[in-house]
Amino acid sequence: MKVLMFGWEFPPKIYGGLAVASYGITKGLSLQGDVETTFCMPKPCGEEEQFLNIIGMNQVPIVWRDVNYDYLKERLPSYMTPEQYYAFRDHIYADFSYMHVNDLGCMEFGGGYPSNLHEEINNFSVIAGVVARQQEFDIIHAHDWLTYPAGVHAKMVSGKPLCIHVHATDFDRSRGKVNPTVYAMEKNGMDHADCIMCVSELTRQTVIHQYHQDPRKCFAMHNAVYPLSQEYQDIPRPDHSKEKVVTFLGRITMQKGPEYFVEAAALVLKRTRNIRFVMAGSGDMLNAMINMVAERGIADRFHFPGFQRGRQVYETYKQSDVFVMPSVSEPFGIAPLEAMQCGTPSIISKQSGCGEILTNVIKTDYWDIHAMADAIYALCTYPSLFNYLQEEGKKEVDGITWEKVGLRIRALYEEVLKNYGK
């Protein structure tokens, strides 16, 4: 089975959870043995793992250029050969000469989330038409609203079925203050999709009720975690017998509920001063949180180490006694699973999709700062509770694998293909 997949980010360039999920899903599919995935992204860095085919949309020509072979060998990156370039050039299907292209007839991409993001999304969808005409595939899979227009265009060009993956909706990102342009793009993708995979039942219900989708084509497809590498397993856990560490790690933005973490911390610190709180990450609410910590008089117990990446993330988990994710609206939330892998008990909000598959965590409402504070205090004070959730949580998460997710997605592909066109 051949899958044409559209995604906006992929490791090692990680801007958020979308890259992590894209890697896990494609890796899980590769372990099925008979699934070949071609992953199209705006601007690869060339260091992506080679268990799947990577197409950089910034190397696909949309305007015909008479370019000689030797020049192409100099200009193209390692993941694109001159032969592939010529194959794409032969499938240009319309006159795009009015668009801004380089000397190879390709469009440039900034990568990540530049100020002209909507323009890049549109350009990406234009190129998807050329790719869909040139590639051989059975089914299309598009991740999140950024690539839904590309998925829809590829379906129109090829006549192949479209699966879209909802990692979050604008209702989650905006706390209800929905951007009408983004909503329209999300709904258009869902309307054209033959199958909608949602990262949780929570998200599935949002898709059904807020985007008015047929429940029969909407499926909960929970995320998973990669097995912890030996490098990260070997990171030592420091002795915190005298002073505990409680951590928030993620985007410091409205969706993640950082203010509730600060309020809960202030309540805990009225009962004991033997706990330090860490808010790791960056975001539009960072300065507001620093000010809030100062206003609450707890700045001497609070740390803001900034954005964490790669090994730093796992060092942060290992150096923590408790991980807290107080999200206001979290479609899934992989971070608690990663923390539990590292032996760090987690507290999550009841408004988190991962809570649907996790048992050995403490769940509170995001707004219930008293319950959150009680849970933090209990985990830092009672060794038996800490040890139980540490051991059982790790066992639970070790069984939540991307290979199982890949198996479920492959089965869903088969179902869509069987019913397509009926």
Side-chain angles (χ1 to χ4, degrees):
M1 182 186 298
K2 293 186 176 182
V3 182
L4 181 63
M5 192 174 286
F6 296 102
W8 204 254
E9 48 179 282
F10 197 86
K13 285 286 183 70
I14 297 175
Y15 300 94
L18 189 56
V20 176
S22 295
Y23 179 90
I25 289 163
T26 52
K27 191 72 172 178
L29 286 170
S30 74
L31 296 172
Q32 304 311 308
D34 62 346
V35 179
E36 183 182 321
T37 304
T38 296
F39 192 89
C40 304
M41 59 188 296
K43 187 181 180 182
C45 67
E47 297 173 12
E48 292 79 11
E49 278 191 43
Q50 297 303 305
F51 63 86
L52 75 173
N53 304 318
I54 297 278
I55 292 178
M57 301 295 252
N58 61 328
Q59 301 296 335
V60 176
I62 60 166
V63 176
W64 202 95
R65 291 283 189 261
D66 186 12
V67 192
N68 72 52
Y69 190 90
D70 291 335
Y71 183 67
L72 277 176
K73 283 184 73 173
E74 291 176 13
R75 284 292 311 276
L76 293 175
S78 59
Y79 54 83
M80 173 79 82
T81 66
E83 287 79 10
Q84 288 171 314
Y85 172 89
Y86 291 132
F88 283 124
R89 193 184 66 175
D90 291 343
H91 286 82
I92 295 170
Y93 61 98
D95 181 9
F96 295 114
S97 57
Y98 64 93
M99 301 192 78
H100 183 69
V101 295
N102 60 23
D103 62 332
L104 299 182
C106 304
M107 282 192 277
E108 304 284 355
F109 284 88
Y113 300 86
S115 57
N116 65 331
L117 180 59
H118 285 272
E119 180 187 348
E120 295 217 333
I121 291 169
N122 180 67
N123 292 346
F124 189 88
S125 69
V126 169
I127 302 165
V130 176
V131 173
R133 281 171 61 88
Q134 190 271 334
Q135 290 286 302
E136 289 183 10
F137 56 94
D138 303 299
I139 198 164
I140 305 158
H141 191 151
H143 291 281
D144 234 24
W145 68 280
L146 302 143
T147 69
Y148 293 169
V152 171
H153 192 184
K155 177 180 179 176
M156 290 177 171
V157 166
S158 67
K160 300 292 175 66
L162 169 65
C163 295
I164 66 166
H165 214 117
V166 184
H167 296 270
T169 69
D170 210 49
F171 284 87
D172 302 302
R173 290 182 290 267
S174 65
R175 205 184 274 188
K177 297 176 182 176
V178 177
N179 180 321
T181 303
V182 176
Y183 177 87
M185 292 167 71
E186 290 177 326
K187 189 170 189 316
N188 186 59
M190 294 175 192
D191 289 345
H192 283 87
D194 301 284
C195 165
I196 302 173
M197 301 183 201
C198 309
V199 291
S200 62
E201 182 60 30
L202 187 75
T203 304
R204 180 175 176 268
Q205 291 302 319
T206 300
V207 166
I208 292 167
H209 296 294
Q210 301 293 348
Y211 294 84
H212 315 294
Q213 298 302 308
D214 184 346
R216 292 172 298 180
K217 73 173 187 179
C218 302
F219 302 87
M221 187 64 67
H222 295 100
N223 286 332
V225 281
Y226 322 129
L228 205 59
S229 70
Q230 193 61 50
E231 176 194 355
Y232 297 152
Q233 289 180 41
D234 292 341
I235 297 172
R237 290 187 68 88
D239 176 26
H240 286 168
S241 54
K242 293 184 179 178
E243 198 172 58
K244 304 297 183 184
V245 175
V246 178
T247 297
F248 169 109
L249 189 152
R251 282 182 293 117
I252 304 174
T253 192
M254 183 171 58
Q255 181 189 348
K256 303 295 183 179
E259 67 270 38
Y260 301 104
F261 179 72
V262 174
E263 296 287 19
L267 290 174
V268 171
L269 290 169
K270 287 180 180 177
R271 300 166 73 174
T272 177
R273 301 296 286 185
N274 294 330
I275 301 174
R276 289 189 180 273
F277 290 84
V278 175
M279 183 170 280
S282 60
D284 59 350
M285 288 181 67
L286 175 59
N287 289 337
M289 292 304 98
I290 293 171
N291 290 334
M292 182 183 273
V293 165
E295 289 165 3
R296 298 295 181 274
I298 57 175
D300 63 321
R301 298 277 95 192
F302 232 96
H303 305 267
F304 294 89
F307 184 78
Q308 308 289 292
R309 56 169 56 84
R311 183 183 171 90
Q312 292 175 321
V313 171
Y314 291 92
E315 287 175 341
T316 301
Y317 291 142
K318 286 285 187 94
Q319 290 166 9
S320 306
D321 298 285
V322 181
F323 176 79
V324 183
M325 188 178 75
S327 296
V328 174
S329 179
E330 188 69 57
F332 186 76
I334 289 177
L337 281 72
E338 294 174 334
M340 291 160 72
Q341 274 187 313
C342 294
T344 303
S346 293
I347 300 167
I348 64 173
S349 71
K350 291 178 181 176
Q351 291 72 27
S352 304
C354 63
E356 296 169 10
I357 61 170
L358 291 175
T359 302
N360 294 293
V361 294
I362 296 176
K363 303 171 190 177
T364 70
D365 286 302
Y366 70 86
W367 45 262
D368 194 343
I369 57 173
H370 292 278
M372 198 183 302
D374 286 344
I376 292 169
Y377 181 80
L379 279 167
C380 291
T381 307
Y382 304 116
S384 56
L385 176 62
F386 173 88
N387 292 336
Y388 177 82
L389 287 181
Q390 181 182 52
E391 187 177 328
E392 295 303 315
K394 188 173 186 317
K395 277 185 199 171
E396 182 175 33
V397 171
D398 284 347
I400 302 172
T401 67
W402 284 114
E403 186 171 3
K404 292 177 182 176
V405 175
L407 187 64
R408 287 194 63 213
I409 291 176
R410 191 200 178 288
L412 210 45
Y413 286 161
E414 291 280 12
E415 194 67 23
V416 170
L417 287 166
K418 185 173 73 176
N419 296 318
Y420 189 60
K422 283 187 178 179

